[in-house]
Amino acid sequence: MHALTRNTLYLVIGRLPGTQRSPLSLSCFIVPRYWIEADGSLSPNHVACAEVEAKMGLNGCPNTRLVFGDEAGPARGWLLGNQPNVALLQLRGLMSRARIETGIQATAVASSAYLHAVRYARERVQGAPFDKSANPWAPKVPIIQHRDVQRMLLDMKSRVEGCRLLLARISTHAALQQASLHAARAGEDQAAAEAALHERMMALYCPVAKAHVSEEAWHVVTQAVQVHGAVGYLRNRPLEQYLRDLKVLTIWEGTNYIQAQDLLRDKLGFGHDSLALRAFEAAIGRTLHDGAGYPELAHEFDAVRAARAALQDALAELGQHARSGRLLLVSQFCTRFLTMFGHVLLAWGLLEAACVAVRRLRELPEEDGDRSFYAGKVSSLRYYARNVLPAVESGAALIRRAQDCYIEASPLEFGHIGSH
Ligand SMILES: Cc1cc2nc3c(=O)[nH]c(=O)nc-3n(C[C@H](O)[C@H](O)[C@H](O)COP(=O)(O)OP(=O)(O)OC[C@H]3O[C@@H](n4cnc5c(N)ncnc54)[C@H](O)[C@@H]3O)c2cc1C
């Protein structure tokens, strides 16, 4: 709420009198800060700012707690589209975009943190190499030469690139969907079906773009702090702000658990005859089919194949539990399943990028300055396939033993703690 504009329109979700307390009875209202009278003049509409929230981060963007209606009168509004009880449908497109934008924001912050870490690691001189550390006169080297720092940097690089590739895949589907809709309007056969396919794929990847990417970004920024040592903990570096700003991305637009539920139950139907799943399987299958052309990446192709098979097994297992009515059991694996799916999607993107890089490396002369860029793409895949992707198989092993890992605790088991 501010005085920069003459009036403000708020999109407010609420219930019409007499409707039930169910998400299916939510309506969307347009409520102006000032009511527009018949003669065009503005009068108060009883909308007040009760509080500006004191947040952990995003301090450049005030969040307010608004109160609609006061003793002087109720706030008035219009029913959006004049349609009651359809707020969730009306907001679906907006929410999907906001979730993908959350992934874009997360990737941008993580990428910046990674670049800060690389620059610092090149400048900071500390410690001799591990194999010379017994020699007190061994010269100290920039920390970027230490294998453990390289591990952290490669970890960050591969995750940032994987997230960016996932978002690029979604953007490609969005562009192709628009083109197909255009072609459908021009009467082209099959175009409407193509548009529906691209929409389905965007819907399938959307919860991963929101939840997995925001978790990966959080992980990347904490690694960037670690690379900086004590300097990373200082407020004169941007990393502290990045962490504070980033955390909300795992919470807003529906918490990451809500995304995981959406993925497993709503988008994949617990694996039961899902069209989106079939399209995903076909697309990743096409990439894996090309493996023979890249002997340099044989190990990585195998790793992605194994992770994809583990993901299929895990989904089949969870589907079995869901169909047998063991939904509470399934609910404790939603988040873990989304993480597994996220790892496979990121690895798939990195694999495709590495194939392009290998083709360029075959063509470029040894002294070409671009070689290190393409070699870096192969390194990202190698690291991710060998160090991160095995988590998919261990996740699937856990899901195979789902009934042994059952989580069931009485609220009292967490200790007797006074209220706030
Ligand atoms: C900076 C900021 C800006 C925001 N801007 C907007 C905005 O513009 N518009 C808007 O509408 N909202 C906005 N929000 C609200 C935001 O979308 C919600 O805070 C978010 O969706 C989480 O809801 P909640 O806070 O009620 O958490 P809760 O629902 O109370 O969740 C608390 C914890 O319980 C878990 N949980 C909740 N339900 C279940 C369940 N059924 N099963 C298992 N676990 C569960 C959650 O995953 C979470 O870990 C904003 C929030 C912040 C922090």
Side-chain angles (χ1 to χ4, degrees), residues 55 58 63 248 251-258 261:
K55 301 196 301 281
L58 295 187
N63 282 84
V248 76
I251 297 170
W252 73 13
E253 307 305 349
T255 63
N256 283 359
Y257 173 73
I258 299 300
Q261 258 188 3

Side-chain angles (χ1 to χ4, degrees), residues 56 69 106 117 138 162 187 202 353-354 377:
M56 180 194 284
M202 283 191 284
K377 298 293 167 196

Side-chain angles (χ1 to χ4, degrees), residues 28-45:
C28 195
F29 304 91
I30 303 169
V31 182
R33 180 175 177 191
Y34 297 105
W35 188 255
I36 306 149
E37 301 294 349
D39 62 0
S41 62
L42 301 178
S43 55
N45 193 28

